[in-house]
Structure formats: C-alpha cells, structure tokens
Amino acid sequence: MADQYAGTDLGEQPPAPPPLPVLRWAEPPEGPVVVLLDQTRLPAEEVETVCTDVPALVRAIQTLAVRGAPLLGIAGAYGVALAAARGFDVDAAATQLAEARPTAVNLAHGVRRALDAHRAATDKGATPEEAATAALTEARRLHTEDAEASATMATAGLALLDELLPGGSHRVLTHCNTGALVSGGEGTAFAVVLAAHRAGRLRRLWVDETRPLMQGARLTAYEAARNGLPYTLLTDNAAGSLFAAGEVDAVLVGADRVTADGSVANKIGTYPLAVLAKYHHVPFIVVAPATTIDPRTPDGAATEIEHRPGSEVTQFTAPTPGATAGTGTAGGTPLAPLGTQAYNPAFDVTPPELVTALVTEAGVVSPVTRGGIEELCARSRQVTIS
Ligand SMILES: CSC[C@H]1O[C@H](OP(=O)(O)O)[C@H](O)[C@@H]1O
C-alpha cells in the first residue's frame, strides 16, 4: 500500500505521557465530588467536569462525558459513594446510575458493588458516615482491580498476538476507544496495542473513526498520539478495503457485555469487522475484564442494545459543555435533511463463533464457548475473593 498510509509519523518518540486524569474522587471544603475528564470535549480540549451530585453524574454518563464499559462501572460505584457521602437517597441514586445506560453490564456491576458495601455496613450497625466510607472503599477497590486487570490483559493479549502472528510486528485494526479513557488503567484492547508498541512489535494501528460519535477519531487517535504510536485513521467504511489489501494482521476490540454463550455486545460496527476478519482469516480478538461478563444474560438476542438519538447521525454538534456530539442541541450542523429519521443503535452483537479469542484478566478463552465463559466466571470469582 502506498507509503502515504505508513502511519502518522510522530517523529522522535516522546517519553511515556503522564496518566490521564480520567476520573477521580475529591473532597474539597464544600463537600465530596467526582471529577471526570469530559470526553465530549476531546481531543480539542482537556476539560474536567465536577459532579457534586448523582444527577450530574448520570447526565455525564448519558452524554458520554464519561464512557466505556469498565470506567462506567467505576463511575457508578463512585456515584453510590457520592450519594452516601452527601446524604442523598442511596437506593434511588443506585437505580438512577444503573439505568443511565443499559448495555455495558459493568455499570450495573459497579453500582451493585458499592451499594452492597453500603448495605452491609449499615446492616452491621455502621453510622451513615461509616457506611459512606464503606461504599467509597469499595469504589476505590474496583478502581484498583480494573487497573490491575488492564495490566494483566495487556500482557496476555500481547502473548496471544505473538502466538497467532509469529515473527513479525503487527498491524492491528481497532474500533471505537478502549484505552485509558475507558479504564482504571491503560484500557482493554488498547492496552494490548500499547504493550505491543512498547515491545517494538506494533507496525501500525489502524483506527476506525467509529461513527456517529467518533470515539476512534476523537479518542483513540488522541491516546495513540499522546503515546507515540504509529497510527492511521480511517473511515469505518474503508475497513473492508484494508482487509482486501492484506493490511490487517489482527482486529482488537473491547466489549460492553459478554453473555453466557460468549456473544459480544460492543460498539456498533464491531460485528461487520468480525465477519470481515472471518472471511479474510484474520484473528478477531476481544479484550475485556471479567466485570464485562454477564452469565445472567443467556445470549446476544437477550442483550439490551442502547438506541441513541437519531440526531447523533443526522447532525454534527461541535463539542460544547455537556452536549453529546450530534445530539441536535442548538447549533447542530445538518448532515441530512431536517426531519430525517435515523437508525442509531450504539452497539451490535458478535456471535461467539466469529471471535477468535476472549482475553480477560482471569484467562484467555479460545474458542469462545459456554463452558469457557463458565470457567472464566468461576476463576474471576476466585480472583475477586483472593
Ligand atoms: C472496553 S469498554 C469500551 C467500549 O465502550 C464503548 O462504548 P461507548 O463509547 O458508547 O461507551 C465501545 O463499545 C467500546 O468498545
């Protein structure tokens, strides 16, 4: 392929960048808050949003100011801690947080962990302050666990890439954003890409722009640039031609929910990549922490897929405080005639038979089967308990 696509040349490799302040708990004099990097403003601006109550955090989740399955779980847990610390109705807060977005099971999981910690403390006679502290401690534990899971998955994922693609440096295609912006650590699939880069085995990262909210163009390219990766952006509809040209060695994506049979719900546009990978005999690898596995949802058909406003498809909205790109708020630039109806599912489902391997911190499953999922769940409970 013509060398004009040889990857964004960043010249001298910059030193590893400081960690992104993606989400943190703070206790200023006026009371505890959850502070998050507003992802709707990236890459143009690095702006923090301070959430002083649960409705503000719910809005941040719904507008994707904070997003990405593992980080949604962490945000949900801190949201319960925030409600408890500020004397709000904790049960009502937990319901509002868990229902803010339906597909990423991590959100409900994180809310549940903090809520259970709060209830357990209360049941043991803890004061409201002590119960609030218990919820915060659990949120912090989940935050740390996710960072550790990210590092484990990065190592396991790179070992798998080296096993599947011996002897070379890898050309990886990824979809949406799965880096530090979705994680307590360096991410899921993107953490594997980072590990390959640091090991000198990333030849190129192909970055799907990921319509309509452009998580790839806005966020993955931002993380790739700040880490000095050789990356090339492409429109989603250009991916097929890359496979046809033999330019993709592996596909690495994240997940929002892995069901009991191994079906993978992930950003819309993932399923077509899995079909392309199958047709072109390219490994299709899903990287997700065990908190993304949901054994209670039997299969992909039972997975609730979030449908978002059609205006995200029919309009472009320049990043403004609290507005999701394309939400049709004042000032949106029409990309279609006004009144155009748009189909806008935020996720699709990839059946397990199209997944080469599922990489988690509890182990790698390949092929992806119901039994393999059950084994991961059993192992992750052991990991959690230990
Ligand atoms: C590995 S979690 C990242 C996951 O979340 C994204 O969805 P969204 O940006 O709507 O939160 C997408 O599905 C990514 O794969």
Side-chain angles (χ1 to χ4, degrees):
M1 178 173 283
D3 64 9
Q4 78 255 39
Y5 298 111
T8 304
D9 178 6
L10 296 164
E12 187 63 29
Q13 291 304 309
L20 283 170
V22 181
L23 184 147
R24 58 190 167 87
W25 177 269
E27 294 184 354
E30 57 272 18
V33 294
V34 174
V35 184
L36 52 93
L37 180 61
D38 184 343
Q39 298 189 30
T40 65
R41 307 287 288 279
L42 292 173
E45 300 171 281
E46 294 177 349
V47 175
E48 285 192 325
T49 292
V50 177
C51 298
T52 58
D53 60 26
V54 168
L57 184 54
V58 167
R59 277 194 305 276
I61 291 170
Q62 290 173 333
T63 59
L64 279 74
V66 59
R67 49 154 292 282
L71 190 67
L72 288 176
I74 295 166
Y78 279 117
V80 171
L82 181 65
R86 284 189 170 257
F88 302 142
D89 180 329
V90 173
D91 290 316
T95 301
Q96 290 161 24
L97 288 160
E99 293 177 351
R101 289 186 75 193
T103 305
V105 67
N106 311 62
L107 178 54
H109 175 268
V111 168
R112 170 56 59 189
R113 283 207 24 191
L115 184 61
D116 285 352
H118 184 268
R119 283 178 175 166
T122 303
D123 291 348
K124 290 175 184 167
T127 65
E129 294 73 23
E130 291 165 337
T133 300
L136 178 59
T137 300
E138 189 64 23
R140 286 181 163 141
R141 182 176 296 121
L142 176 61
H143 202 156
T144 302
E145 285 173 6
D146 191 68
E148 292 164 352
S150 175
T152 303
M153 292 188 291
T155 303
L158 179 56
L160 177 65
L161 274 183
D162 290 342
E163 179 190 335
L164 294 172
L165 307 167
S169 61
H170 314 316
R171 296 166 298 179
V172 173
L173 184 140
T174 194
H175 191 69
C176 198
N177 170 251
T178 60
L181 291 170
V182 305
S183 168
E186 295 192 308
T188 60
F190 191 84
V192 177
V193 170
L194 269 180
H197 174 63
R198 291 164 182 162
R201 294 200 290 285
L202 180 70
R203 181 171 157 196
R204 185 180 308 173
L205 177 65
W206 295 108
V207 178
D208 266 5
E209 66 178 356
T210 316
R211 284 263 310 150
L213 295 183
M214 312 294 271
Q215 287 93 327
R218 292 188 303 109
L219 306 177
T220 298
Y222 165 80
E223 292 201 69
R226 71 189 303 270
N227 283 283
L229 272 57
Y231 72 99
T232 303
L233 181 65
L234 62 139
T235 60
D236 301 328
N237 46 25
S241 65
L242 277 182
F243 283 92
E247 287 289 336
V248 181
D249 299 317
V251 178
L252 280 170
V253 295
D256 292 78
R257 190 183 297 247
V258 179
T259 62
D261 72 338
S263 297
V264 175
N266 196 49
K267 183 51 53 195
I268 190 73
T270 301
Y271 171 56
L273 292 176
V275 173
L276 280 165
K278 192 75 173 181
Y279 180 80
H280 291 279
H281 310 293
V282 168
F284 181 86
I285 299 167
V286 175
V287 185
T291 48
T292 308
I293 299 176
D294 175 18
R296 288 175 302 281
T297 299
D299 52 34
T303 302
E304 183 179 355
I305 298 298
E306 176 186 6
H307 283 255
R308 296 186 60 84
S311 56
E312 292 178 351
V313 176
T314 61
Q315 295 185 30
F316 168 74
T317 306
T320 51
T324 295
T327 52
T329 51
T333 303
L335 298 172
L338 292 182
T340 296
Q341 186 185 43
Y343 170 67
N344 186 22
F347 302 96
D348 59 24
V349 174
T350 299
E353 59 269 24
L354 295 183
V355 180
T356 307
L358 169 63
V359 176
T360 79
E361 76 282 20
V364 176
V365 170
S366 178
V368 178
T369 63
R370 192 179 294 277
I373 297 297
E374 287 168 1
E375 193 179 320
L376 280 180
C377 289
R379 243 187 271 159
S380 64
R381 269 193 294 277
Q382 286 158 10
V383 167
T384 305
I385 292 165
S386 61

